[in-house]
Amino acid sequence: MTAVAAVVAVTAAVLGLTLLHESTAPFDRAFARQHGSHLTAQFDATQVTAAQLTATATLPGVIASAGPFPTVTVTPSIIRGEQDPHGPPGRATLSPITVVGRSRPDTTVDDLTLLTGRWVSAPGEIVVATDADLPSEIGTKLTLDDLPGAPVLTVVGTARSVSLTADAWMLPAEVEALSQHVVTSMQMLYRFAHAATSGDMSANRASLAAAVGGDALTGSHSWLDVQQGTDRNTALFIPFLVAFGTLGVIMSVLVVVTVVTGAVGSGRHRIGILKALGFTPGQVVRAYVAQALVPTAIGIAAGLVAGSLLSGPILHSTDQLYGTTTSGVDPKVDALVAVGALAVVALSALAAAWQAGRLRVLDALAGRAPHADRGHRAAWLAGRLPLPRSVSLGLAQPFARPTRSSSMVLAVVFGTAAVTFAIGLGTSLNAVQAAKDHDNADVSVDTFGSLPGPHGIGPDGSPPPSIDAAGITSIVAAIDAQEGTARSFSISSTDATIPALAGTTTVFAFNGDASWSGYAMVSGRWFTSAGEAVVPTTFLHATNTSIGDTISLFFEGRAVPIRIVGEVFDPHEQTMEVLTDASTIATAAPDLLPDHFSIEVRPGTDISAYITRLGAQLQPLGLEAIPTGGNHGGSDTIAALDALTAALTLLLIVVSALGVLSAVVLDTRDRAHDLGIHRSLGMTPRQTRTMVFSSVTIIGLIGGLAGTPLGILVHRIVLPAMGHSAGVGLPRSVLSVYRAPELVALIGEGLLIALLGAALPAAWASRARSVDVLRAE
Amino acid sequence: MDQGEPVLRPMCRCRPDAYLHRVTSSLIDIARVSRTYSDGSVALDDVSLQVVRGESVAIVGPSGSGKSTLLNLIAGLDRPTAGSVTVDGVVVSGLGEKASALYRRRTIGIVFQSFNLLDDLTVIDNVALPARLMGTSRRAAARRANELLGSLGLADRRDAYPGRLSGGERQRVAVARALMNEPALLLADEPTGALDSAARAEVGRLLADLHAAGHTLVIVTHDEEFADRHTQRTIRLADGRVVGATPAGASR
């Protein structure tokens, strides 16, 4: 049992500590592992030769370099429907990408990690970066329509560059071919002796620019910028993974302590014999500590292997979240877990054996615990409950061994907390996605360009044509006249400036009430009149304003005061934005036309038929109506987080149930004598199972009752921490995700974990024959 | 000891007319039973014997002779490797775990050598346990247990825990528990093994009373003097074989 507990605990500890380790500066470790590029520089190949670029490797301060690599920018397209069954049919043109020509992935700087498939080896092959906005499925065809002959490239692999040096890679000769054999751009990757600060990097860049002369250095990006961007993303997930990792480590320690102390405590009779034979208390302690350490060592070895195997898929998920790469479980984690497990086992055995070694010989020989009369009162009371006797006998058992029962309760508490947290997190993430999409509308019509979110792309991947004021009037009329229209609003967008803020701020002007469309409020309220506006958290931080403040927007010199009445949850890429009623800026931007319409249909309306009818009316304008609802959960990140949450939760449930299992096994073994008596008095196998299951019922309920609030507390701490790391406040709909029926079910989860853990001992107890247990006892 | 007449009566729920057959019909029929353990040791070797209703039989023999194994087979706690054990018409050796448990509840009462009382239950809860396991209400089980404890002179010890009782008292509690479900057969394994001479005499009188009340008794003991004094018939075992026995139904 000790060995099994060690396997379970070490596995959980390896996973837990690996998560904690992975969550410590993930970018820095991945960057070091890949010999990341401190400076990724682009050069104009018409102004500098390859030989000159190679010579830059010897510049003062440069400690390593790779390149020059030919680069080309292309605009690929894919056939939707063939490779993206979820997208609308037709050809979709993707964003321009930078393709770098590299003959191999493992260069001295930016040692790429090949994640799937293989490296390029023939013409027409391409490896895409996992961080690029490109289809990553092996075999995907990318067509380069903008090049003569529209060459088709086949994706043969995916790779990750922590330094984000390219969107895709091809053989150098292929890149030259795509450049019509006139390479205009070359890439060099550098590592510098001093690269810790932006000042260092500026100096390095200046030295490089001076070395190549003129305007040959056309662009560069520093690893510090990449680090900042990656850290901003990873910070979102660190609290989440730290929470799971910590739970795993705590539970592993709990399992080991329970089993070791229980196993030593169960050997009282044997200890009595040893003492009767002349063993001193010190000798008893040494014997039992040694006895506990031998199976532990075996369990540790097996646990390290199991932990490494199970960590594989977990690390794959964390890599996806962190945008990093790992080479498996860090040997330091293995060493720490092995030493830690041995120490915990030794200390637990020492404490239990010390207590047992001090027992009087006669008490030990009789197998009597120091407090043998514990639980009598509970047994007496349980016997008076109007319950079947097998149930009441089981209910009283936890009170006879309060320490062991407490450890079982703790195991269930942590298991239930993990489930509660995981379910809350999953619900919250879906709420985040729903709030991000704010697409409660049933139907939408785009008139120009694309808005953030799922709107705004034509059937062939191109933006719809722009519509004039008359066209807008026709659209409004068509929507209003359409049978089944419940309500609608339109959005216009334009740029404004704010004196205290660099760059521009996008102003979204709404015609009609849009409060129903799914925008979630972090605080305050949705705007209801001209002059009021809502803004995202990032805006409030950047402008150092808060709800109730008034701020001026400038439209080509014309100031428009707005009063901030709410903090809206809208964490997409465009974070500097203001959402207000169209009438607020009607004077300052009189020619502004809506570029998007959202429509809600009446209940019972056939949306497809509605879209067909509305589409027919919009056809003369070259527009179409498209369905917008039900796009929740489409984020790859959230899908990865959901999968990781499910895997980690399952693992913690298993560890929790094994914690209960080990304690119930010890309890059943200690009670073998009583069990034999019960069976000899006519207790049926079913009644025996009932008794064992009943013995963990109170434990499960207490664990559920304590674990559920603990899980909610962890959720309450971790979610805001995740939001804070990402620089966004979270709306109530994201934080308050637990409903009464769910809470009841979650409390029941504790009972389920306890029953799960008791299942094997119950089966064993029901099959055991009384003559065997009485003889063995 | 106050021996309340209705309390120690023998009863068999499954066969209400059993009393009429008591003297003449065989209650226990052991036919060519052997028991060999997994390590190859032979506990019983081709043992056959019968016990008729109302008999008081002692199985005697030295340690390792197989007498406790034989008792376990009669009680359905163990299974023979060959032969059959039939009790009250039921082939005990062919019962599954559940049927075996039901058989023990309804047909037999067992008094163990080391009493086997549950330390965390009071005396009355120990005694009432077999009835409670059978689904008898707490009130009815307590009433019957109180009657038994009263008749065995333990009325004032009903709320004590076994750890506070003397050896003789524990043995009487074990007897009360064995009688709780009014079994057709009472089995006792070394009932005096852990007792001093005064307690042994007390148990002897108790067993005699039970027999006098019509109970069928099978007592395993190595104490031949006790067997001679308190039972009608003795079956002698040695090395797993019957080496001496008076015929079924015979009296000393």
Side-chain angles (χ1 to χ4, degrees), chain A residues 615-666:
Chain A
Q617 289 188 274
L618 299 176
Q619 184 67 36
L621 296 168
L623 301 177
E624 65 168 1
I626 56 171
T628 53
N631 194 38
H632 302 167
S635 157
D636 286 347
T637 304
I638 287 182
L641 212 51
D642 278 348
L644 189 59
T645 305
L648 293 174
T649 306
L650 189 64
L651 279 170
L652 288 183
I653 287 175
V654 169
V655 174
S656 173
L658 284 171
V660 175
L661 167 74
S662 54
V664 178
V665 164
L666 288 172

Coordinates of all heavy atoms in Angstrom, one line a residue, chain A residues 615-666:
Chain A
G615 N -32.0 38.8 -47.3 CA -30.9 38.7 -48.3 C -31.4 39.1 -49.7 O -30.7 39.8 -50.5
A616 N -32.6 38.6 -50.0 CA -33.2 39.0 -51.4 C -33.4 40.5 -51.5 O -33.1 41.0 -52.6 CB -34.5 38.2 -51.5
Q617 N -33.8 41.1 -50.4 CA -34.0 42.6 -50.5 C -32.7 43.3 -50.5 O -32.6 44.4 -51.1 CB -34.8 43.0 -49.3 CG -36.3 42.6 -49.4 CD -37.1 43.2 -48.3 OE1 -37.2 42.7 -47.2 NE2 -37.7 44.3 -48.6
L618 N -31.6 42.7 -49.9 CA -30.3 43.4 -49.9 C -29.5 43.1 -51.2 O -28.5 43.8 -51.4 CB -29.5 43.0 -48.7 CG -30.2 43.3 -47.3 CD1 -29.3 42.8 -46.2 CD2 -30.3 44.8 -47.2
Q619 N -29.9 42.1 -51.9 CA -29.1 41.7 -53.1 C -28.8 42.8 -54.0 O -27.7 42.9 -54.5 CB -30.0 40.6 -53.8 CG -29.3 40.0 -55.0 CD -28.0 39.2 -54.6 OE1 -28.1 38.5 -53.6 NE2 -27.0 39.2 -55.4
P620 N -29.8 43.7 -54.3 CA -29.4 44.8 -55.2 C -28.3 45.7 -54.8 O -27.6 46.3 -55.5 CB -30.7 45.6 -55.3 CG -31.8 44.6 -54.9 CD -31.2 43.7 -53.9
L621 N -28.1 45.7 -53.4 CA -27.0 46.5 -52.9 C -25.7 45.8 -52.8 O -24.6 46.3 -52.4 CB -27.4 47.0 -51.5 CG -28.6 47.9 -51.3 CD1 -29.0 48.1 -49.9 CD2 -28.2 49.3 -51.9
G622 N -25.7 44.5 -53.2 CA -24.5 43.7 -53.2 C -24.2 43.2 -51.8 O -23.1 42.8 -51.5
L623 N -25.2 43.2 -50.9 CA -25.0 42.7 -49.5 C -25.8 41.5 -49.3 O -26.6 41.0 -50.0 CB -25.5 43.8 -48.6 CG -24.9 45.2 -48.7 CD1 -25.6 46.2 -47.7 CD2 -23.4 45.1 -48.4
E624 N -25.4 40.9 -48.1 CA -26.2 39.7 -47.7 C -26.3 39.7 -46.2 O -25.6 40.4 -45.5 CB -25.4 38.4 -48.2 CG -24.1 38.2 -47.5 CD -23.5 36.9 -47.7 OE1 -24.2 36.0 -48.4 OE2 -22.4 36.6 -47.2
A625 N -27.3 39.0 -45.8 CA -27.6 38.8 -44.3 C -27.0 37.5 -43.9 O -27.0 36.5 -44.6 CB -29.1 38.8 -44.0
I626 N -26.3 37.5 -42.7 CA -25.7 36.2 -42.3 C -26.1 35.9 -40.8 O -26.4 36.9 -40.1 CB -24.1 36.3 -42.4 CG1 -23.6 37.5 -41.6 CG2 -23.7 36.3 -43.9 CD1 -22.1 37.5 -41.5
P627 N -26.1 34.7 -40.5 CA -26.5 34.4 -39.1 C -25.3 34.7 -38.2 O -24.1 34.5 -38.6 CB -26.7 32.9 -39.1 CG -26.0 32.3 -40.3 CD -25.9 33.5 -41.3
T628 N -25.5 35.1 -37.0 CA -24.4 35.5 -36.1 C -24.3 34.8 -34.8 O -23.3 34.8 -34.2 CB -24.5 37.0 -35.8 OG1 -25.8 37.3 -35.2 CG2 -24.2 37.9 -37.0
G629 N -25.4 34.2 -34.3 CA -25.4 33.6 -33.0 C -24.7 32.3 -33.0 O -24.3 31.8 -34.0
G630 N -24.5 31.8 -31.7 CA -23.9 30.5 -31.5 C -22.5 30.3 -31.9 O -22.1 29.2 -32.3
N631 N -21.7 31.3 -31.9 CA -20.3 31.2 -32.2 C -19.4 31.1 -31.0 O -18.3 31.3 -31.0 CB -19.9 32.4 -33.1 CG -18.6 32.1 -33.8 OD1 -18.3 31.0 -34.2 ND2 -17.8 33.2 -33.8
H632 N -20.1 30.8 -29.8 CA -19.3 30.8 -28.6 C -18.3 29.7 -28.5 O -18.6 28.6 -29.1 CB -20.3 30.7 -27.4 CG -21.2 31.8 -27.3 ND1 -22.3 31.8 -26.5 CD2 -21.3 33.0 -28.0 CE1 -23.0 32.9 -26.7 NE2 -22.4 33.6 -27.6
G633 N -17.3 29.9 -27.8 CA -16.3 28.8 -27.6 C -15.4 28.5 -28.8 O -14.8 27.4 -28.9
G634 N -15.3 29.4 -29.7 CA -14.5 29.2 -30.9 C -13.1 29.4 -30.7 O -12.3 29.2 -31.6
S635 N -12.7 29.9 -29.5 CA -11.2 30.3 -29.4 C -10.4 29.0 -29.1 O -10.7 28.2 -28.3 CB -11.1 31.2 -28.2 OG -9.8 31.2 -27.6
D636 N -9.3 29.0 -29.9 CA -8.3 27.8 -29.7 C -7.8 27.8 -28.3 O -7.6 26.8 -27.7 CB -7.2 27.9 -30.7 CG -7.6 27.6 -32.1 OD1 -8.7 27.0 -32.2 OD2 -6.9 27.9 -33.1
T637 N -7.5 29.0 -27.8 CA -6.9 29.2 -26.4 C -7.9 28.6 -25.4 O -7.5 27.8 -24.5 CB -6.6 30.6 -26.1 OG1 -5.8 31.1 -27.1 CG2 -6.0 30.8 -24.8
I638 N -9.1 29.0 -25.6 CA -10.1 28.5 -24.6 C -10.3 27.0 -24.7 O -10.5 26.3 -23.7 CB -11.4 29.3 -24.7 CG1 -11.2 30.7 -24.2 CG2 -12.6 28.6 -24.0 CD1 -12.3 31.6 -24.2
A639 N -10.3 26.5 -26.0 CA -10.4 25.1 -26.2 C -9.2 24.4 -25.5 O -9.4 23.3 -24.8 CB -10.4 24.8 -27.7
A640 N -8.0 24.9 -25.6 CA -6.8 24.3 -25.0 C -6.9 24.4 -23.5 O -6.6 23.4 -22.8 CB -5.6 25.1 -25.4
L641 N -7.4 25.5 -23.0 CA -7.6 25.7 -21.6 C -8.7 24.7 -21.0 O -8.5 24.1 -20.0 CB -8.0 27.1 -21.3 CG -7.5 27.7 -20.0 CD1 -6.1 27.5 -19.7 CD2 -7.9 29.2 -19.9
D642 N -9.7 24.5 -21.8 CA -10.8 23.6 -21.4 C -10.2 22.2 -21.3 O -10.5 21.4 -20.4 CB -11.9 23.6 -22.4 CG -12.9 24.8 -22.2 OD1 -12.8 25.4 -21.1 OD2 -13.7 25.1 -23.0
A643 N -9.4 21.8 -22.3 CA -8.9 20.4 -22.4 C -7.9 20.2 -21.2 O -8.0 19.2 -20.5 CB -8.2 20.2 -23.7
L644 N -7.1 21.2 -21.0 CA -6.1 21.1 -19.9 C -6.9 21.1 -18.5 O -6.5 20.3 -17.6 CB -5.2 22.3 -19.9 CG -4.0 22.3 -19.0 CD1 -3.1 21.1 -19.3 CD2 -3.2 23.6 -19.1
T645 N -7.9 21.9 -18.4 CA -8.7 21.9 -17.1 C -9.3 20.5 -16.9 O -9.2 19.9 -15.8 CB -9.8 22.9 -17.2 OG1 -9.2 24.2 -17.5 CG2 -10.6 23.0 -15.9
A646 N -9.9 19.9 -18.0 CA -10.5 18.6 -17.9 C -9.5 17.6 -17.5 O -9.7 16.8 -16.6 CB -11.2 18.2 -19.2
A647 N -8.3 17.6 -18.1 CA -7.3 16.6 -17.8 C -6.8 16.7 -16.4 O -6.7 15.7 -15.6 CB -6.1 16.7 -18.8
L648 N -6.5 18.0 -15.9 CA -6.0 18.2 -14.6 C -7.0 17.8 -13.5 O -6.7 17.3 -12.5 CB -5.5 19.6 -14.4 CG -4.3 20.0 -15.3 CD1 -4.0 21.5 -15.2 CD2 -3.1 19.2 -14.8
T649 N -8.3 18.2 -13.8 CA -9.3 17.9 -12.9 C -9.5 16.4 -12.7 O -9.6 15.9 -11.6 CB -10.7 18.5 -13.4 OG1 -10.5 19.8 -13.6 CG2 -11.8 18.3 -12.4
L650 N -9.5 15.7 -13.8 CA -9.6 14.2 -13.8 C -8.4 13.6 -12.9 O -8.7 12.8 -12.1 CB -9.5 13.6 -15.2 CG -9.9 12.2 -15.3 CD1 -11.3 11.9 -14.9 CD2 -9.7 11.7 -16.7
L651 N -7.2 14.1 -13.1 CA -6.1 13.6 -12.4 C -6.3 13.9 -10.9 O -6.0 13.0 -10.1 CB -4.8 14.3 -12.9 CG -4.2 13.8 -14.2 CD1 -3.1 14.7 -14.7 CD2 -3.7 12.4 -13.9
L652 N -6.7 15.1 -10.6 CA -6.9 15.4 -9.1 C -8.0 14.6 -8.5 O -7.9 14.2 -7.4 CB -7.1 16.9 -9.0 CG -5.9 17.8 -9.2 CD1 -6.3 19.3 -8.9 CD2 -4.7 17.4 -8.4
I653 N -9.0 14.3 -9.3 CA -10.1 13.4 -8.8 C -9.5 12.0 -8.5 O -9.8 11.4 -7.4 CB -11.3 13.4 -9.8 CG1 -12.0 14.7 -9.8 CG2 -12.2 12.2 -9.4 CD1 -13.1 14.7 -10.8
V654 N -8.7 11.6 -9.4 CA -8.1 10.2 -9.2 C -7.3 10.2 -8.0 O -7.3 9.3 -7.2 CB -7.3 9.8 -10.5 CG1 -6.5 8.6 -10.2 CG2 -8.3 9.6 -11.7
V655 N -6.4 11.3 -7.8 CA -5.5 11.3 -6.7 C -6.4 11.4 -5.4 O -6.1 10.7 -4.4 CB -4.6 12.5 -6.8 CG1 -3.8 12.7 -5.5 CG2 -3.6 12.4 -8.0
S656 N -7.4 12.2 -5.5 CA -8.3 12.4 -4.3 C -8.9 11.0 -3.9 O -8.9 10.6 -2.8 CB -9.3 13.4 -4.6 OG -10.3 13.5 -3.6
A657 N -9.5 10.4 -4.9 CA -10.1 9.1 -4.7 C -9.1 8.0 -4.2 O -9.4 7.2 -3.3 CB -10.8 8.6 -6.0
L658 N -7.9 8.1 -4.7 CA -6.8 7.2 -4.2 C -6.5 7.5 -2.8 O -6.1 6.6 -2.0 CB -5.6 7.3 -5.1 CG -5.8 6.6 -6.5 CD1 -4.6 6.9 -7.4 CD2 -5.9 5.1 -6.3
G659 N -6.5 8.8 -2.4 CA -6.3 9.2 -1.0 C -7.3 8.5 -0.1 O -7.0 7.9 0.9
V660 N -8.6 8.5 -0.6 CA -9.6 7.9 0.2 C -9.4 6.4 0.2 O -9.5 5.7 1.2 CB -11.0 8.2 -0.4 CG1 -12.1 7.5 0.3 CG2 -11.3 9.7 -0.3
L661 N -9.1 5.9 -1.0 CA -8.9 4.4 -1.2 C -7.9 3.9 -0.2 O -8.1 2.9 0.5 CB -8.5 4.1 -2.6 CG -7.9 2.7 -2.9 CD1 -9.1 1.7 -2.8 CD2 -7.2 2.6 -4.2
S662 N -6.7 4.6 -0.1 CA -5.6 4.1 0.7 C -6.1 4.1 2.2 O -5.8 3.2 2.9 CB -4.4 4.9 0.5 OG -4.7 6.3 0.7
A663 N -6.8 5.1 2.6 CA -7.2 5.2 4.0 C -8.3 4.1 4.2 O -8.3 3.5 5.3 CB -7.8 6.6 4.3
V664 N -9.2 3.9 3.3 CA -10.2 2.9 3.5 C -9.6 1.5 3.5 O -10.1 0.6 4.3 CB -11.4 3.0 2.5 CG1 -12.4 1.9 2.7 CG2 -12.0 4.4 2.6
V665 N -8.6 1.3 2.7 CA -8.0 0.0 2.7 C -7.3 -0.3 4.1 O -7.5 -1.3 4.6 CB -6.9 -0.1 1.6 CG1 -5.9 -1.2 1.8 CG2 -7.5 -0.2 0.2
L666 N -6.7 0.7 4.6 CA -6.1 0.6 5.9 C -7.1 0.3 7.0 O -7.0 -0.5 7.8 CB -5.3 1.9 6.3 CG -4.0 2.1 5.6 CD1 -3.4 3.4 5.9 CD2 -3.0 1.0 6.0

